[in-house]
Amino acid sequence: MRLDNKVALVTGGTRGIGAAICIRLAREGASIVFTGRDIRAATPVISAIKECGVDAFFHKADVTDKERMEEVVNEVAKQLGSLDILVNNAGITRDSLFIRMKEDDWNAVINTNLNGVFNVTQATAKIMLKQRSGSIINISSVIGVAGNAGQANYAASKAGIIGLTKALAKEFATRHVRVNAIAPGFIETEMTKKLPDEAREKALAQIPLNFFAEPSDIASAAAFLASEDSRYITGQVLVVDGGMKM
Ligand code: NAD
């Protein structure tokens, strides 16, 4: 129970990696507040969190709505007394070759994946800096580290997250607020299920461990970065990719 008495906020927690992170942090003892755009999708996650014996709260909120996210963050701190862990997980893809990429698809991905992190983190940081403790975990991607043809918007947003992580780690360190990123490789979620078989086979051939990860593999990395086990780690990108990009 590494996270007893801690309060965690996870964005986009209704499914996939976000839901797995909510449940794993709950198993470690943290009270969980998670956001998403669909209340119905939140119900099974709320039940799974409560089964761990901790409090679960869901807020319908879009990360692109700065005002709404500030409202949620401030409500969490007021209701639960602190905000110790933030996981910026919400993310989307709108893939196409760059030459054909629609401006709307560029803007949607940057707005959700990068501006969304700004929106939530600025409000959260004010609380964490005041309380002089906290762990911020940004879900980037190996695509942000290495790039990928057909994903220029996604790569730019995820590389932006890495730069932001390092800048904030330096800005917040004296107040004991740590900021790290996780760069997942290929994880079995709705996001990757929509890829054609050929793309999946190509990806598998590049993974030395020779299997796709489960969302729980990212959740265990998040639990480590959230806990005091990583108290001397800040500004880092933890790559969880089965050796794909080494
Ligand atoms: P997913 O599509 O299954 O889940 C994404 C979640 O984010 C959903 O709950 C969705 O509703 C939410 N979301 C999207 N836009 C939102 C918005 N504007 N406001 C609030 N919530 C929003 O995807 P996933 O695979 O679980 O991905 C989670 C994170 O991990 C993303 O940031 C993704 O880029 C990253 N990632 C995933 C993989 C992978 O292989 N699946 C690899 C690397 C990184």
Side-chain angles (χ1 to χ4, degrees):
M1 302 291 269
R2 289 183 291 185
L3 304 177
D4 256 347
N5 301 319
K6 300 287 184 194
V7 176
L9 172 62
V10 180
T11 66
T14 54
R15 69 179 202 195
I17 292 170
I21 291 173
C22 288
I23 294 162
R24 177 59 195 259
L25 300 187
R27 264 177 38 207
E28 301 262 3
S31 299
I32 308 294
V33 184
F34 67 104
T35 69
R37 295 167 301 175
D38 181 3
I39 292 180
R40 270 175 310 164
T43 311
V45 184
I46 291 176
S47 305
I49 295 168
K50 285 192 171 159
E51 272 171 30
C52 303
V54 298
D55 289 329
F57 303 92
F58 173 74
H59 292 269
K60 187 172 181 329
D62 191 312
V63 291
T64 62
D65 183 344
K66 190 168 194 298
E67 226 171 273
R68 173 73 184 124
M69 292 316 305
E70 279 168 5
E71 206 176 86
V72 168
V73 166
N74 292 331
E75 208 178 307
V76 172
K78 201 169 149 203
Q79 189 182 4
L80 299 172
S82 70
L83 179 43
D84 307 295
I85 300 153
L86 167 65
V87 184
N88 282 306
N89 166 77
I92 58 167
T93 51
R94 293 277 188 278
D95 299 350
S96 83
L97 288 175
F98 184 68
I99 221 77
R100 284 190 228 127
M101 188 170 284
K102 300 206 167 43
E103 196 180 342
D104 278 355
D105 288 338
W106 172 269
N107 287 336
V109 170
I110 298 295
N111 209 18
T112 301
N113 297 8
L114 186 56
N115 296 345
V117 175
F118 170 77
N119 294 340
V120 186
T121 306
Q122 199 175 47
T124 303
K126 285 179 187 158
I127 290 158
M128 288 182 171
L129 293 174
K130 212 186 274 175
Q131 85 194 3
R132 291 181 172 268
S133 69
S135 174
I136 298 172
I137 300 159
N138 297 323
I139 307 299
S140 175
S141 168
V142 287
I143 307 300
V145 178
N148 196 27
Q151 291 195 300
N153 48 0
Y154 187 74
S157 71
K158 294 299 187 179
I161 284 180
I162 292 172
L164 176 66
T165 297
K166 293 180 181 187
L168 296 186
K170 288 185 173 170
E171 242 178 87
F172 299 167
T174 56
R175 300 283 187 106
H176 306 287
V177 175
R178 297 182 297 109
V179 191
N180 291 289
I182 296 175
F186 197 108
I187 319 299
E188 288 281 17
T189 66
E190 296 299 322
M191 188 178 267
T192 44
K193 266 183 205 150
K194 63 189 179 195
L195 289 174
D197 284 350
E198 200 190 328
R200 292 171 62 88
E201 275 161 32
K202 226 169 120 188
L204 190 59
Q206 290 170 16
I207 301 171
L209 285 179
N210 200 33
F211 63 92
F212 297 134
E214 296 295 328
S216 59
D217 293 307
I218 305 306
S220 44
F224 167 67
L225 290 175
S227 77
E228 281 296 293
D229 285 348
S230 60
R231 67 177 201 147
Y232 207 52
I233 299 176
T234 195
Q236 301 305 305
V237 182
L238 180 52
V239 178
V240 183
D241 70 346
M244 184 164 67
K245 296 293 180 195
M246 70 179 153

